[in-house]
Coordinates of all heavy atoms in Angstrom, one line a residue:
M1 N -10.7 -4.6 -18.0 CA -10.3 -3.6 -17.1 C -8.9 -3.2 -17.3 O -7.9 -4.0 -17.5 CB -10.5 -4.0 -15.6 CG -9.8 -3.2 -14.6 SD -10.0 -3.8 -12.9 CE -11.1 -2.7 -12.4
D2 N -8.6 -1.9 -17.5 CA -7.2 -1.5 -17.7 C -6.5 -1.4 -16.4 O -7.1 -1.3 -15.4 CB -7.1 -0.2 -18.5 CG -7.9 1.0 -17.7 OD1 -8.8 0.7 -16.9 OD2 -7.6 2.1 -18.0
N3 N -5.1 -1.5 -16.5 CA -4.3 -1.4 -15.2 C -4.5 0.0 -14.6 O -4.4 0.9 -15.2 CB -2.9 -1.7 -15.5 CG -2.7 -3.2 -15.9 OD1 -3.6 -4.0 -15.7 ND2 -1.5 -3.5 -16.4
K4 N -4.5 -0.1 -13.2 CA -4.5 1.2 -12.5 C -3.5 0.9 -11.3 O -3.7 0.1 -10.6 CB -5.9 1.4 -11.9 CG -5.9 2.7 -11.2 CD -7.4 3.1 -10.7 CE -7.2 4.4 -10.0 NZ -8.0 4.5 -8.9
R5 N -2.5 1.8 -11.3 CA -1.5 1.8 -10.2 C -2.2 2.2 -8.8 O -2.9 3.2 -8.8 CB -0.4 2.7 -10.4 CG 0.8 2.7 -9.5 CD 1.9 3.6 -9.9 NE 2.9 3.4 -9.0 CZ 3.2 4.2 -7.9 NH1 2.2 5.0 -7.5 NH2 4.1 4.0 -7.1
L6 N -2.0 1.4 -7.8 CA -2.4 1.7 -6.4 C -1.4 2.7 -5.8 O -0.2 2.5 -6.0 CB -2.5 0.4 -5.6 CG -3.6 -0.6 -6.1 CD1 -3.6 -1.7 -5.1 CD2 -4.9 -0.1 -6.4
D7 N -1.9 3.7 -5.3 CA -1.1 4.8 -4.6 C -1.8 5.3 -3.4 O -1.9 4.8 -2.5 CB -0.5 5.8 -5.7 CG -1.6 6.4 -6.5 OD1 -2.8 6.3 -6.0 OD2 -1.3 6.9 -7.5
H8 N -2.1 6.6 -3.5 CA -2.8 7.3 -2.4 C -1.9 7.2 -1.2 O -0.8 7.8 -1.1 CB -4.2 6.9 -2.2 CG -5.0 7.0 -3.5 ND1 -5.6 8.2 -3.8 CD2 -5.4 6.2 -4.4 CE1 -6.3 8.1 -4.9 NE2 -6.1 6.9 -5.3
K9 N -2.4 6.6 -0.2 CA -1.7 6.4 1.1 C -0.6 5.3 1.0 O 0.4 5.2 1.9 CB -2.6 6.1 2.2 CG -3.5 7.3 2.6 CD -4.4 6.9 3.7 CE -5.3 8.0 4.1 NZ -4.8 9.1 4.8
L10 N -0.7 4.4 0.0 CA 0.2 3.2 0.0 C 1.6 3.5 -0.6 O 2.5 2.9 -0.1 CB -0.5 2.1 -1.0 CG -1.9 1.7 -0.4 CD1 -2.5 0.7 -1.5 CD2 -1.8 1.0 0.9
D11 N 1.7 4.4 -1.4 CA 3.1 4.7 -1.9 C 3.9 5.6 -1.2 O 3.3 6.6 -0.4 CB 3.0 5.1 -3.4 CG 2.4 6.6 -3.6 OD1 1.6 7.0 -2.7 OD2 2.7 7.2 -4.6
C12 N 5.1 5.3 -1.1 CA 6.0 6.2 -0.3 C 6.3 7.5 -1.0 O 6.6 7.6 -2.2 CB 7.4 5.5 -0.2 SG 8.6 6.5 0.8
K13 N 6.0 8.6 -0.3 CA 6.1 9.9 -1.0 C 7.5 10.3 -1.2 O 7.9 11.1 -2.0 CB 5.4 11.0 -0.2 CG 4.0 10.7 0.0 CD 3.2 10.4 -1.3 CE 1.7 10.1 -0.9 NZ 1.1 9.0 -1.6
A14 N 8.6 9.6 -0.5 CA 9.9 9.9 -0.5 C 10.6 9.2 -1.8 O 11.4 9.8 -2.5 CB 10.6 9.5 0.7
C15 N 10.3 8.0 -2.1 CA 10.9 7.1 -3.0 C 9.9 6.7 -4.2 O 10.4 6.1 -5.1 CB 11.8 6.0 -2.5 SG 10.8 4.6 -1.8
G16 N 8.6 6.8 -3.9 CA 7.7 6.4 -4.9 C 7.3 4.9 -5.1 O 6.5 4.5 -6.0
T17 N 7.8 4.1 -4.2 CA 7.5 2.6 -4.3 C 6.4 2.2 -3.2 O 6.1 3.1 -2.3 CB 8.7 1.7 -4.1 OG1 9.2 1.9 -2.8 CG2 9.8 2.0 -5.1
I18 N 5.9 1.0 -3.4 CA 5.0 0.5 -2.3 C 5.7 -0.6 -1.8 O 5.5 -1.8 -2.3 CB 3.6 0.2 -3.0 CG1 3.0 1.3 -3.6 CG2 2.7 -0.5 -1.9 CD1 1.7 1.0 -4.3
Q19 N 6.6 -0.5 -0.8 CA 7.3 -1.4 -0.2 C 7.2 -1.2 1.4 O 7.9 -0.3 1.9 CB 8.7 -1.5 -0.7 CG 8.9 -1.8 -2.2 CD 10.3 -1.9 -2.6 OE1 11.2 -2.1 -1.8 NE2 10.5 -1.8 -3.9
M20 N 6.4 -2.0 2.0 CA 6.1 -1.6 3.4 C 6.8 -2.7 4.3 O 6.9 -3.8 4.0 CB 4.6 -1.8 3.6 CG 3.8 -0.8 2.9 SD 2.0 -1.1 3.2 CE 1.3 -0.4 1.8
D21 N 7.3 -2.1 5.4 CA 7.9 -2.9 6.5 C 6.8 -3.1 7.5 O 6.5 -2.2 8.4 CB 9.1 -2.2 7.2 CG 9.8 -3.0 8.2 OD1 9.6 -4.2 8.2 OD2 10.6 -2.4 8.9
I22 N 6.1 -4.2 7.5 CA 5.0 -4.4 8.4 C 5.3 -5.6 9.4 O 5.6 -6.7 9.1 CB 3.7 -5.0 7.5 CG1 3.5 -4.0 6.4 CG2 2.5 -5.2 8.4 CD1 2.4 -4.5 5.3
P23 N 5.3 -5.2 10.6 CA 5.6 -6.1 11.6 C 4.5 -7.2 11.8 O 3.4 -7.0 11.5 CB 5.6 -5.4 13.0 CG 5.6 -3.9 12.5 CD 5.0 -3.8 11.2
D24 N 4.9 -8.5 12.2 CA 3.9 -9.5 12.4 C 2.9 -9.2 13.2 O 1.6 -9.7 13.1 CB 4.7 -10.8 12.8 CG 5.6 -11.3 11.8 OD1 5.4 -11.2 10.6 OD2 6.5 -12.1 12.1
S25 N 3.1 -8.4 14.3 CA 2.1 -8.1 15.3 C 1.5 -6.7 15.1 O 1.0 -6.1 16.0 CB 2.7 -8.1 16.7 OG 3.8 -7.2 16.8
A26 N 1.4 -6.3 13.8 CA 0.9 -5.0 13.6 C -0.6 -4.9 13.9 O -1.5 -5.8 13.8 CB 0.9 -4.7 12.0
E27 N -1.0 -3.7 14.6 CA -2.4 -3.4 14.9 C -2.8 -2.1 14.4 O -2.0 -1.6 13.6 CB -2.4 -3.4 16.5 CG -2.0 -4.7 17.2 CD -2.1 -4.6 18.6 OE1 -2.5 -3.5 19.2 OE2 -1.8 -5.6 19.4
E28 N -4.0 -1.8 14.6 CA -4.5 -0.5 13.8 C -3.6 0.7 13.8 O -3.5 1.4 12.9 CB -5.9 -0.2 14.4 CG -7.0 -1.2 14.2 CD -7.4 -1.1 12.7 OE1 -7.7 0.0 12.1 OE2 -7.4 -2.2 12.0
H29 N -3.0 1.0 15.0 CA -2.2 2.2 15.2 C -0.7 2.0 15.1 O 0.0 2.8 15.3 CB -2.6 2.8 16.6 CG -4.0 3.3 16.6 ND1 -4.5 4.3 15.8 CD2 -5.1 2.8 17.2 CE1 -5.8 4.4 16.1 NE2 -6.1 3.4 16.9
T30 N -0.4 0.7 14.6 CA 1.1 0.5 14.4 C 1.6 1.4 13.3 O 1.1 1.4 12.2 CB 1.3 -0.9 14.0 OG1 0.9 -1.8 15.1 CG2 2.8 -1.2 13.8
P31 N 2.7 2.2 13.4 CA 3.2 3.0 12.4 C 4.0 2.0 11.4 O 4.7 1.2 11.8 CB 4.3 3.9 13.0 CG 4.6 3.3 14.4 CD 3.4 2.4 14.8
I32 N 3.7 2.4 10.2 CA 4.3 1.6 9.1 C 5.3 2.5 8.3 O 4.9 3.6 7.9 CB 3.2 1.0 8.1 CG1 2.1 0.1 8.9 CG2 3.8 0.2 7.0 CD1 2.8 -1.1 9.5
H33 N 6.4 1.9 8.0 CA 7.5 2.6 7.2 C 7.8 1.8 5.9 O 7.5 0.7 5.7 CB 8.7 2.8 8.0 CG 8.5 3.6 9.2 ND1 8.0 3.1 10.5 CD2 8.6 4.9 9.5 CE1 7.9 4.2 11.4 NE2 8.3 5.2 10.8
C34 N 8.3 2.7 4.9 CA 8.8 2.1 3.7 C 10.0 1.2 4.0 O 11.0 1.6 4.7 CB 9.2 3.2 2.7 SG 9.8 2.7 1.2
S35 N 10.0 0.0 3.4 CA 11.1 -0.9 3.6 C 12.3 -0.6 2.7 O 13.4 -1.0 2.9 CB 10.8 -2.4 3.4 OG 10.2 -2.6 2.1
K36 N 12.2 0.3 1.7 CA 13.2 0.7 0.9 C 13.9 1.9 1.4 O 15.2 2.0 1.4 CB 12.6 1.1 -0.6 CG 13.7 1.4 -1.6 CD 13.2 1.6 -2.9 CE 14.3 1.8 -3.9 NZ 13.7 2.1 -5.3
C37 N 13.3 3.0 1.9 CA 13.9 4.2 2.3 C 13.6 4.5 3.8 O 14.3 5.4 4.3 CB 13.6 5.3 1.4 SG 12.0 6.0 1.6
G38 N 12.7 3.9 4.4 CA 12.3 4.2 5.8 C 11.4 5.3 6.0 O 11.1 5.6 7.2
G39 N 10.9 5.9 5.0 CA 9.9 6.9 5.1 C 8.6 6.4 5.8 O 8.1 5.3 5.6
Y40 N 8.0 7.3 6.6 CA 6.7 7.0 7.3 C 5.6 7.0 6.2 O 5.3 8.0 5.5 CB 6.5 8.0 8.3 CG 5.2 7.8 9.1 CD1 5.0 6.8 9.9 CD2 4.1 8.7 8.8 CE1 3.8 6.6 10.6 CE2 2.9 8.5 9.5 CZ 2.7 7.4 10.3 OH 1.6 7.3 11.1
L41 N 4.8 5.9 6.2 CA 3.7 5.7 5.3 C 2.4 6.0 6.0 O 1.4 6.5 5.4 CB 3.6 4.3 4.7 CG 4.9 4.0 3.9 CD1 4.8 2.6 3.5 CD2 5.0 4.9 2.7
G42 N 2.1 5.7 7.3 CA 0.9 5.9 8.0 C 0.7 4.7 8.9 O 1.6 3.9 9.2
E43 N -0.4 4.8 9.6 CA -0.8 3.7 10.6 C -1.3 2.5 9.7 O -1.9 2.7 8.8 CB -1.8 4.3 11.6 CG -1.2 5.3 12.5 CD -2.2 5.8 13.6 OE1 -3.4 5.4 13.5 OE2 -1.7 6.5 14.3
W44 N -1.1 1.3 10.3 CA -1.5 0.1 9.6 C -3.0 0.1 9.3 O -3.4 -0.3 8.2 CB -1.2 -1.1 10.5 CG -1.5 -2.4 9.9 CD1 -2.1 -3.4 10.5 CD2 -1.2 -2.8 8.7 NE1 -2.3 -4.5 9.7 CE2 -1.7 -4.2 8.4 CE3 -0.6 -2.4 7.4 CZ2 -1.6 -5.0 7.3 CZ3 -0.4 -3.2 6.3 CH2 -1.0 -4.4 6.2
G45 N -3.9 0.5 10.2 CA -5.3 0.5 9.9 C -5.7 1.4 8.7 O -6.5 1.0 7.9
E46 N -5.2 2.6 8.7 CA -5.5 3.5 7.6 C -4.9 2.9 6.2 O -5.5 3.1 5.2 CB -5.1 4.9 7.9 CG -3.5 5.2 8.0 CD -3.2 6.6 8.3 OE1 -4.0 7.4 8.6 OE2 -2.0 6.9 8.4
L47 N -3.8 2.4 6.3 CA -3.2 1.8 5.1 C -4.1 0.6 4.6 O -4.3 0.6 3.4 CB -1.8 1.4 5.3 CG -0.7 2.4 5.6 CD1 0.5 1.9 5.9 CD2 -0.6 3.5 4.4
Q48 N -4.6 -0.2 5.4 CA -5.4 -1.3 5.0 C -6.8 -0.8 4.4 O -7.3 -1.3 3.5 CB -5.8 -2.2 6.3 CG -4.6 -3.0 6.8 CD -5.1 -3.9 8.0 OE1 -5.3 -5.0 7.7 NE2 -5.0 -3.3 9.2
D49 N -7.2 0.3 5.2 CA -8.6 0.8 4.6 C -8.4 1.4 3.2 O -9.2 1.3 2.3 CB -9.0 1.9 5.5 CG -9.5 1.4 6.9 OD1 -9.7 0.2 6.9 OD2 -9.7 2.3 7.8
D50 N -7.1 2.1 3.0 CA -6.9 2.7 1.7 C -6.7 1.6 0.6 O -7.2 1.8 -0.5 CB -5.7 3.5 1.8 CG -5.5 4.5 0.6 OD1 -6.4 5.1 0.1 OD2 -4.4 4.2 -0.2
F51 N -6.0 0.5 1.0 CA -5.9 -0.6 0.0 C -7.3 -1.2 -0.4 O -7.5 -1.4 -1.6 CB -5.0 -1.7 0.6 CG -4.9 -2.9 -0.3 CD1 -3.9 -2.8 -1.3 CD2 -5.6 -4.0 -0.2 CE1 -3.8 -3.9 -2.2 CE2 -5.6 -5.1 -1.1 CZ -4.6 -5.0 -2.0
S52 N -8.1 -1.4 0.6 CA -9.4 -1.9 0.4 C -10.3 -1.1 -0.5 O -10.9 -1.6 -1.5 CB -10.2 -2.2 1.7 OG -9.6 -3.1 2.4
K53 N -10.1 0.2 -0.3 CA -10.9 1.3 -1.1 C -10.4 1.2 -2.6 O -11.2 1.2 -3.5 CB -10.8 2.6 -0.4 CG -11.5 3.7 -1.3 CD -11.3 4.9 -0.4 CE -12.1 6.1 -1.1 NZ -11.8 7.4 -0.3
Q54 N -9.1 1.2 -2.8 CA -8.6 1.2 -4.1 C -8.7 -0.1 -4.8 O -8.8 -0.2 -6.0 CB -7.1 1.6 -4.0 CG -6.8 3.0 -3.6 CD -5.3 3.3 -3.8 OE1 -4.8 3.4 -4.9 NE2 -4.6 3.4 -2.8
A55 N -8.6 -1.2 -4.0 CA -8.7 -2.5 -4.7 C -10.2 -3.0 -5.1 O -10.3 -4.0 -5.7 CB -8.1 -3.6 -3.7
R56 N -11.1 -2.3 -4.6 CA -12.5 -2.7 -4.8 C -12.7 -3.1 -6.3 O -12.4 -2.4 -7.2 CB -13.5 -1.5 -4.5 CG -14.8 -1.9 -4.1 CD -15.6 -0.8 -3.4 NE -15.0 -0.6 -2.1 CZ -15.1 0.6 -1.4 NH1 -15.6 1.6 -2.0 NH2 -14.5 0.6 -0.3
G57 N -13.3 -4.3 -6.4 CA -13.6 -4.8 -7.8 C -12.4 -5.4 -8.5 O -12.7 -6.1 -9.6
A58 N -11.2 -5.4 -8.0 CA -10.1 -6.1 -8.7 C -10.1 -7.6 -8.4 O -10.4 -8.0 -7.3 CB -8.8 -5.5 -8.2
Q59 N -9.8 -8.3 -9.4 CA -9.7 -9.9 -9.2 C -8.3 -10.3 -9.1 O -8.0 -11.4 -8.4 CB -10.3 -10.5 -10.5 CG -11.8 -10.1 -10.7 CD -12.7 -11.2 -10.3 OE1 -12.4 -12.3 -10.4 NE2 -13.9 -10.8 -10.0
A60 N -7.4 -9.5 -9.4 CA -6.0 -9.8 -9.3 C -5.1 -8.6 -9.3 O -5.5 -7.5 -9.7 CB -5.5 -10.6 -10.6
F61 N -3.9 -8.7 -8.9 CA -3.0 -7.6 -8.8 C -1.5 -8.0 -9.3 O -1.2 -9.2 -9.3 CB -2.6 -7.2 -7.3 CG -3.9 -6.7 -6.6 CD1 -4.7 -7.6 -5.9 CD2 -4.4 -5.5 -6.7 CE1 -5.9 -7.2 -5.3 CE2 -5.4 -5.0 -6.0 CZ -6.3 -5.8 -5.3
D62 N -0.9 -7.0 -9.8 CA 0.5 -7.3 -10.3 C 1.5 -6.5 -9.5 O 1.3 -5.2 -9.3 CB 0.7 -6.9 -11.7 CG 1.9 -7.2 -12.4 OD1 2.6 -8.3 -12.0 OD2 2.4 -6.3 -13.1
L63 N 2.5 -7.0 -8.9 CA 3.6 -6.5 -8.2 C 4.8 -6.4 -9.0 O 5.3 -7.5 -9.4 CB 3.8 -7.1 -6.8 CG 4.9 -6.6 -5.8 CD1 4.6 -5.2 -5.6 CD2 5.0 -7.3 -4.7
N64 N 5.3 -5.2 -9.3 CA 6.5 -5.2 -10.2 C 7.3 -4.0 -9.8 O 6.8 -2.7 -9.9 CB 6.0 -5.0 -11.6 CG 7.1 -5.1 -12.7 OD1 8.2 -5.4 -12.4 ND2 6.8 -4.8 -13.9
H65 N 8.5 -4.3 -9.4 CA 9.4 -3.2 -9.0 C 8.8 -2.2 -8.0 O 9.1 -1.1 -8.0 CB 9.9 -2.4 -10.1 CG 10.7 -3.3 -11.2 ND1 11.9 -3.9 -10.8 CD2 10.3 -3.6 -12.4 CE1 12.2 -4.6 -12.0 NE2 11.2 -4.4 -12.9
G66 N 8.2 -2.7 -6.9 CA 7.6 -2.0 -5.9 C 6.3 -1.2 -6.2 O 5.9 -0.2 -5.6
N67 N 5.6 -1.6 -7.3 CA 4.5 -0.9 -7.7 C 3.4 -1.9 -7.8 O 3.6 -3.1 -8.4 CB 4.6 -0.3 -9.1 CG 5.5 0.9 -9.0 OD1 5.3 1.9 -8.4 ND2 6.6 0.8 -9.8
I68 N 2.1 -1.7 -7.3 CA 1.0 -2.5 -7.4 C 0.0 -2.0 -8.5 O -0.4 -0.9 -8.3 CB 0.3 -2.7 -6.1 CG1 1.4 -3.2 -5.1 CG2 -0.9 -3.7 -6.1 CD1 0.8 -3.2 -3.6
T69 N -0.4 -2.9 -9.3 CA -1.4 -2.5 -10.3 C -2.6 -3.4 -10.3 O -2.4 -4.7 -10.1 CB -1.0 -2.3 -11.8 OG1 -0.3 -3.5 -12.1 CG2 0.0 -1.2 -11.9
K70 N -3.9 -2.9 -10.4 CA -5.0 -3.8 -10.5 C -5.0 -4.4 -11.9 O -4.7 -3.7 -12.9 CB -6.3 -3.0 -10.3 CG -6.5 -2.5 -8.9 CD -7.9 -2.0 -8.7 CE -8.3 -0.8 -9.2 NZ -9.6 -0.2 -8.9
K71 N -5.5 -5.6 -12.0 CA -5.7 -6.2 -13.3 C -7.2 -6.4 -13.6 O -8.0 -6.4 -12.7 CB -5.0 -7.6 -13.4 CG -3.5 -7.4 -13.2 CD -3.0 -8.2 -14.2 CE -1.4 -8.0 -14.3 NZ -0.9 -7.9 -15.6

């Protein structure tokens, strides 16, 4: 399988990285922001759903400089 960068709702549209500030007590409607620039990314539930959809079939991930790729 070739590498595929995860993005869609996960990447920050302001700075282009996937670096989330996720509170320990995050719930479905908790707003999530980029930990690098503070940009709004979405609600925790929708971000989890997007990750699951994009990650389908992946056995491993690589995190490099704020980017996630499927392996």
